[in-house]
């Protein structure tokens, strides 16, 4: 039986989440990508709390990639104000390419370690 794109992504996401766990010292940087925007959160899984969140919808840029890179800088700034330097990256079942990779590289460049 053929699986849809969404079912494949959900399967990949479950596989990633079985291994990636965020703590208060190293929260999980969870990324979700839709057709129009990218949403990222810093999550402490031990407490079940979202520490910071950002959407690329409010960022400046012509392309989704440029908006994602701007959002990464904003999220890194929010993390810095909360004394968060190191995170674990949760790509949300999406392939590590394009917008997801650009977001991750920009977050590293802005000071987050993963």
């Amino acid at each position: 039986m053929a699986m849809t794109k969404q079912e494949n992504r959900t399967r990949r996401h479950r596989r990633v989440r079985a291994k990636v766990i965020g703590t208060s010292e190293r929260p999980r940087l969870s990324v979700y990508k839709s057709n129009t925007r990218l949403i990222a959160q810093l999550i402490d899984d031990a407490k079940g709390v979202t520490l910071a969140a950002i959407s690329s919808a409010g960022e400046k840029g012509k392309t989704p990639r440029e908006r994602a890179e701007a959002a990464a800088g904003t999220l890194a700034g929010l993390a810095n104000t909360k004394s968060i330097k190191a995170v674990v990256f949760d790509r949300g079942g999406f392939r590590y390419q394009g917008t997801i990779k650009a977001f991750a590289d920009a977050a590293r460049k802005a000071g987050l370690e993963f």
Side-chain angles (χ1 to χ4, degrees):
M1 178 197 285
M3 294 180 58
T4 64
K5 279 180 160 182
Q6 291 82 9
E7 289 170 336
N8 284 331
R9 186 190 79 80
T10 302
R11 180 178 276 188
R12 282 191 306 270
H13 192 204
R14 280 197 206 116
R15 197 166 50 234
V16 169
R17 284 287 293 121
K19 300 170 188 164
V20 177
I21 298 167
T23 62
S24 55
E25 296 85 31
R26 276 182 73 132
R28 176 168 53 100
L29 173 54
S30 174
V31 178
Y32 175 76
K33 182 181 68 129
S34 72
N35 286 338
T36 56
R37 64 192 52 153
L38 183 126
I39 300 163
Q41 303 178 73
L42 290 174
I43 302 169
D44 179 358
D45 288 320
K47 296 178 184 171
V49 177
T50 298
L51 305 172
I54 190 72
S55 171
S56 67
E59 300 294 333
K60 302 285 186 202
K62 289 189 174 190
T63 65
R65 180 177 290 195
E66 290 173 359
R67 289 191 294 271
E69 289 170 349
T74 306
L75 185 67
L78 286 173
N80 196 19
T81 60
K82 297 185 183 223
S83 302
I84 298 170
K85 293 282 185 202
V87 297
V88 290
F89 190 66
D90 174 9
R91 60 190 172 87
F94 297 100
R95 288 182 170 184
Y96 188 78
Q97 65 183 23
T99 307
I100 301 290
K101 185 175 188 303
F103 176 85
D105 291 342
R108 282 191 194 100
K109 195 172 185 180
L112 287 178
E113 297 173 9
F114 57 94

